[in-house]
Amino acid sequence: MNKKIKQWSINSFLQYIFVFLTILQCNSVFFRQSETNHEKIVTLMWIASMLSLFVLAAVQSVKGKYNVWKPMKFVTIWGVVVVSFIAISYLRYPFSLTFVATLLIPVIMVPVFFVDFKNGSMEAILIKFKKLTVLLAIVSLFFWIFAIMGVHPTSSVVINWGNPRAIYGYYNVHYIAQGSITFLGIPGIIRNTGIFVEAPMYSYILCMALLVSIFLEPQRKGYSKSSLLLMITILTTTSSTGTIILVIIVFGKAIFLSPRLSNPLKSLIAICILPIVIMIIMSIVEKKMDTRWNSSTGIRLNDFVAGYNAWKRHMIMGNGINNYGVLIENMDYRRTFIGNNSGFSTGFMETLAYGGLAAASYYIAPLIALAFRNRKIFLMGAVTFVLFMFTLVNNVYLFYVFISYFWTVCLIDKK
């Protein structure tokens, strides 16, 4: 008994280490700090923690005599398909293999999630991610209020994000990375960026944690304290994408996760409420709209246009992995001038431009499979995909951990 408890405590400890490193890799200030080896250190430690979880899962599957045919079949097929895609893409446009290593994360993580399922704790890793994110939210809200009150920062650090620049914060546990903006008609709101280099990435992490809290934890009539805390923190990031996702999640929970409503009644309520939800989203977008070409809205819209035009050139296999030149060619030419924003902001359009429909199927296939396997997780996956549409997370490990979870659900569950 003690041996089993010890094994579980080691597993839980490794999961927390893995989740902590996953969060740090999401463009945290520590990860992007200038003139350091933090990026390399975090990456290597993350790989080591993931492999440790895989080894432990393998040991548990042998001791428990689990039938792991399904995940092994998936790993084999997935490995062959991804390696084939990488080989073909490389022959067409050579690139560093580090840019596609993330595609192989499900090869490791699907078996880990599957063994966790056999052990009765499939969501354990994602729940731990939510818990750590809630802790980050508490800390960030505390110091965000400090910043609102005008308390002077106590620390500064130089980051490599765009051009190297200095940002200020409090005790190296909270940073004011993007100043203040007008949000929902309210001027001068300081953006809550937590420990990250930008508010959209912090908003993305908070939204993913909220999805876990709403869709994976035991359902209740209202919202848990942690869910409400995450919602409030999402609003403090002043991210339009985060706010829209928040509206979608609340709508989805009210309609699709209510056990008391029959399916016909859910459909009727959805039809009645959907126009209201659309009006709220349109209001948020309208307040964010700016006719200037170099505004945040103008640049994001131009990213979709540039990505689509680049994709049209080679729709099946794309223009080559990490071929950023093809996106630059299709951007508004004024963005390419020195000092202007030539960065890209939509993960899905970048995927289409680089790898075409072949690469896009990597993200779309599990969503389609979920539609026939588990409606609740399908809704969670659909919101994740919307976030992918409006946030550049192609090199964020957290995104691929969730993709791995979705594939695992397809292998073991049907509801």
Side-chain angles (χ1 to χ4, degrees):
M1 183 69 179
N2 290 334
K3 187 176 181 181
K4 187 174 183 180
I5 293 174
K6 184 178 179 180
Q7 188 178 45
W8 273 108
S9 63
I10 293 174
N11 189 45
S12 181
F13 176 75
L14 284 174
Q15 288 178 346
Y16 271 115
I17 294 296
F18 173 75
V19 167
F20 176 71
L21 292 169
T22 302
I23 292 174
L24 279 185
Q25 193 274 336
C26 295
N27 295 324
S28 68
V29 170
F30 180 83
F31 187 73
R32 295 296 181 186
Q33 188 171 347
S34 180
E35 298 182 0
T36 68
N37 292 321
H38 293 173
E39 185 173 341
K40 183 181 294 185
I41 292 170
V42 170
T43 301
L44 292 176
M45 289 182 66
W46 185 86
I47 293 172
S49 65
M50 180 177 64
L51 292 177
S52 297
L53 288 175
F54 179 78
V55 170
L56 190 57
V59 172
Q60 290 175 342
S61 66
V62 171
K63 289 184 175 180
K65 298 181 180 179
Y66 299 149
N67 183 353
V68 293
W69 164 245
K70 283 187 177 181
M72 289 302 100
K73 181 180 178 181
F74 169 84
V75 166
T76 302
I77 295 174
W78 188 264
V80 170
V81 170
V82 169
V83 170
S84 299
F85 169 75
I86 291 173
I88 295 171
S89 298
Y90 187 84
L91 290 174
R92 297 178 69 248
Y93 185 88
F95 54 87
S96 172
L97 294 179
T98 57
F99 288 108
V100 292
T102 50
L103 299 178
L104 294 172
I105 289 176
V107 171
I108 304 296
M109 290 307 300
V110 167
V112 171
F113 278 120
F114 188 85
V115 172
D116 282 345
F117 163 74
K118 289 291 187 178
N119 290 330
S121 58
M122 182 178 170
E123 293 81 17
I125 291 175
L126 300 186
I127 297 295
K128 288 178 176 62
F129 159 69
K130 188 224 74 172
K131 289 180 179 179
L132 287 186
T133 304
V134 167
L135 180 61
L136 286 176
I138 293 172
V139 173
S140 72
L141 282 176
F142 179 80
F143 286 108
W144 178 72
I145 293 173
F146 262 41
I148 292 289
M149 294 171 60
V151 177
H152 291 292
T154 61
S155 59
S156 65
V157 65
V158 177
I159 58 171
N160 281 322
W161 189 247
N163 296 320
R165 60 188 176 92
I167 60 172
Y168 300 90
Y170 300 98
Y171 305 103
N172 292 316
V173 294
H174 180 84
Y175 296 93
I176 308 168
Q178 290 189 302
S180 60
I181 65 169
T182 298
F183 179 64
L184 300 181
I186 305 173
I189 298 181
I190 294 177
R191 307 195 75 176
N192 184 355
T193 57
I195 62 170
F196 303 93
V197 297
E198 61 172 6
M201 181 53 63
Y202 188 27
S203 174
Y204 174 80
I205 292 163
L206 292 165
C207 287
M208 297 304 287
L210 182 60
L211 286 173
V212 173
S213 182
I214 298 294
F215 292 98
L216 298 186
E217 292 189 325
Q219 293 185 33
R220 56 177 69 198
K221 292 181 181 179
Y223 294 92
S224 65
K225 292 179 181 179
S226 60
S227 294
L228 292 173
L229 181 70
L230 290 169
M231 291 177 179
I232 293 170
T233 312
I234 288 170
L235 292 175
T236 64
T237 66
T238 69
S239 166
S240 297
T241 300
T243 306
I244 291 171
I245 290 298
L246 184 56
V247 173
I248 293 173
I249 291 175
V250 171
F251 172 72
K253 174 179 169 58
I255 301 302
F256 300 105
L257 298 186
S258 176
R260 297 183 177 182
L261 301 179
S262 62
N263 288 333
L265 186 57
K266 287 180 181 179
S267 300
L268 179 61
I269 295 175
I271 292 172
C272 295
I273 296 181
L274 187 58
I276 299 175
V277 174
I278 293 174
M279 288 176 61
I280 293 173
I281 293 174
M282 289 179 64
S283 176
I284 295 171
V285 173
E286 185 178 358
K287 285 183 172 60
K288 190 73 174 179
M289 285 297 289
D290 192 327
T291 55
R292 295 175 300 168
W293 69 269
N294 60 345
S295 67
S296 175
T297 307
I299 288 174
R300 178 159 292 190
L301 289 175
N302 184 245
D303 282 342
F304 276 93
V305 174
Y308 175 73
N309 288 335
W311 172 54
K312 286 195 302 182
R313 295 184 180 183
H314 301 283
M315 300 182 72
I316 304 300
M317 292 298 296
N319 298 277
I321 303 300
N322 202 40
N323 184 5
Y324 199 67
V326 74
L327 293 174
I328 293 289
E329 291 172 13
N330 286 280
M331 287 180 183
D332 186 318
Y333 72 94
R334 291 169 292 188
R335 293 176 60 186
T336 62
F337 295 161
I338 296 176
N340 288 338
N341 187 349
S342 61
F344 211 67
S345 63
T346 159
F348 184 65
M349 295 311 297
E350 182 181 273
T351 298
L352 283 176
Y354 284 176
L357 292 175
S361 63
Y362 177 100
Y363 310 99
I364 298 173
L367 191 60
I368 295 174
L370 282 173
F372 299 96
R373 304 291 292 181
N374 189 309
R375 292 180 182 178
K376 185 173 72 170
I377 306 302
F378 167 73
L379 184 57
M380 179 182 176
V383 176
T384 301
F385 186 78
V386 173
L387 278 166
F388 178 48
M389 287 282 293
F390 293 97
T391 313
L392 190 64
V393 291
N394 301 49
N395 293 320
V396 172
Y397 299 161
L398 178 67
F399 180 51
Y400 297 93
V401 172
F402 274 84
I403 291 288
S404 302
Y405 174 80
F406 295 146
W407 272 120
T408 310
V409 172
C410 294
L411 294 178
I412 55 92
D413 204 5
K414 186 173 184 179
K415 294 182 181 178

